[in-house]
Amino acid sequence: MKKHLLLAAALLSLPAAVSAHRMWLLPSGTVFSGTDSWVTVDAAVSNDLFFFDHQPGRLENVKVWQPDGTPGQLQNGATGRYRSVFDVKLDKPGTWKIGSEMSGVMGTFKVDGQEKRVGGRRGPPQPGAPAPLTVADIPANATDVKLVETIGRNEIFVTAGAPTTTVLKPTGRGLELAPITHPDELVAGEAARFRFLLDGKPAAGLKVTVIPGGKRYRDAEGGMDVTTDAQGVATIAWPAAGMYWVNATTTDAKSTQPRVSERRLAYTTTLEVLTP
């Protein structure tokens, strides 16, 4: 487990509905005709989807999975004031996965009445700055130990040629998407079905928030919430074509980390819905 937390991990401490800032990956497209294609991806944290107005997404943890599940290559990465950007060459047919999983423990404890903080650093380490404390740094005589484990995924899917499913297989850890409808075969006016899993089991009763991009150019956010059924399946009817931000969060007390009493989990993806 990574002992340091980036901005995305800190955002997990707030539900999507009340957090003003949302982290997202935005591909230049999700469906490509051949294996000589490139996809460019923007990464940012912003108030309005998908508009650059707050912080760039960090590329340190972003990974690429080729259609056979093996690691791919992120190219031409760069970070500016409000966004990061990178390219991926889609040189193999099938569905690729691009994204990150960030996890860690954050919280507080007291020693002789003085409060100290575990984790919680935002952004990359600064020269000369002390490393954040970890669970291992908590002494045996500490009091008021309040620790939270966070696990968050932020991923997108792009397809060169015919869609495949190898990269869609769940790992069995944390909150995951196990699509029934392929994420690169979404059409306006047609309902899609996505199964959400929590540690490999159906996440029943999970609220899933779906928000279209372009809020900057309309009065209402235009989002909707759907709830998964007993099998963990969320059914989403797309009202129009476009890019959609999809997010789900949940909490439980099933952390395997020592002295941690709460676990907060999040899953985020950006999906493209095409015209019929």
Side-chain angles (χ1 to χ4, degrees), residues 175-180 192-198 200-208 226-236 248:
L175 191 59
E176 297 181 275
L177 181 71
I180 299 172
R193 301 177 69 230
F194 299 129
R195 177 172 283 112
F196 285 84
L197 303 176
L198 182 57
K201 298 180 180 179
L206 180 71
K207 187 179 78 170
V208 180
V226 297
T227 303
T228 59
D229 62 17
Q231 288 73 47
V233 176
T235 301
I236 303 173

Side-chain angles (χ1 to χ4, degrees), residues 2 13 28 32 41 55 62-63 81 90 97 104 108 120 149-150 156 158 163 175 198 206 229 233 238:
K2 293 178 175 62
S13 64
S28 55
F32 299 84
V41 182
Q55 293 285 349
V62 176
K63 297 180 180 180
R81 174 61 183 86
L90 308 178
K97 182 169 72 171
T108 59
E149 179 185 9
T150 61
I156 56 175
V158 296
L175 191 59
L198 182 57
L206 180 71
D229 62 17
V233 176
W238 310 105

